[in-house]
Amino acid sequence: MFLVTPDRTYGLVAAPRAPEDLTPGTEEALTAQDFTWNSEIEAYTRPTGHGPEGVDRTASTLRGLGHFVLLSYTPAPVGRPQHPGRAGPRPLPPDRGDRP
């Protein structure tokens, strides 16, 4: 599984969920699209071509190689946490006793 998304710092990012997703064919296909491995974020990045067409093309390539792909066309906001106000898991609501 891969996440394909634009990023304000890295350009277009293709991030594998697990090391097993980095098959030789996948690495070759991403390298052929001018991606390079960024060990800092453990993902392939490309500084150009991060518009919707680039996202679609990369996702299509990865799907063609048998991967599931999650994608986003919009980079995350800069300077804000991904989940504002969420310091951890929310507590379960109290048991009201009226549920089966």
Side-chain angles (χ1 to χ4, degrees):
M1 179 183 295
F2 274 81
L3 169 65
V4 177
T5 185
D7 182 88
R8 296 180 197 284
T9 302
Y10 300 104
L12 186 57
V13 175
R17 179 174 181 225
E20 299 82 42
D21 295 318
L22 296 175
T23 64
T26 301
E27 293 176 340
E28 183 178 312
L30 290 170
T31 301
Q33 290 188 13
D34 297 325
F35 280 90
T36 56
W37 180 252
N38 183 321
S39 59
E40 180 184 341
I41 62 171
E42 296 185 355
Y44 276 91
T45 61
R46 181 177 70 200
T48 61
H50 46 77
E53 299 83 17
V55 171
D56 287 338
R57 187 172 37 257
T58 302
S60 178
T61 297
L62 292 168
R63 285 187 186 115
L65 293 167
H67 296 286
F68 290 101
V69 179
L70 301 173
L71 59 90
S72 172
Y73 296 108
T74 308
V78 174
R80 289 184 27 197
Q82 294 293 320
H83 302 285
R86 298 266 328 255
R90 293 183 181 165
L92 294 173
D95 185 5
R96 298 188 319 202
D98 58 352
R99 296 185 188 137

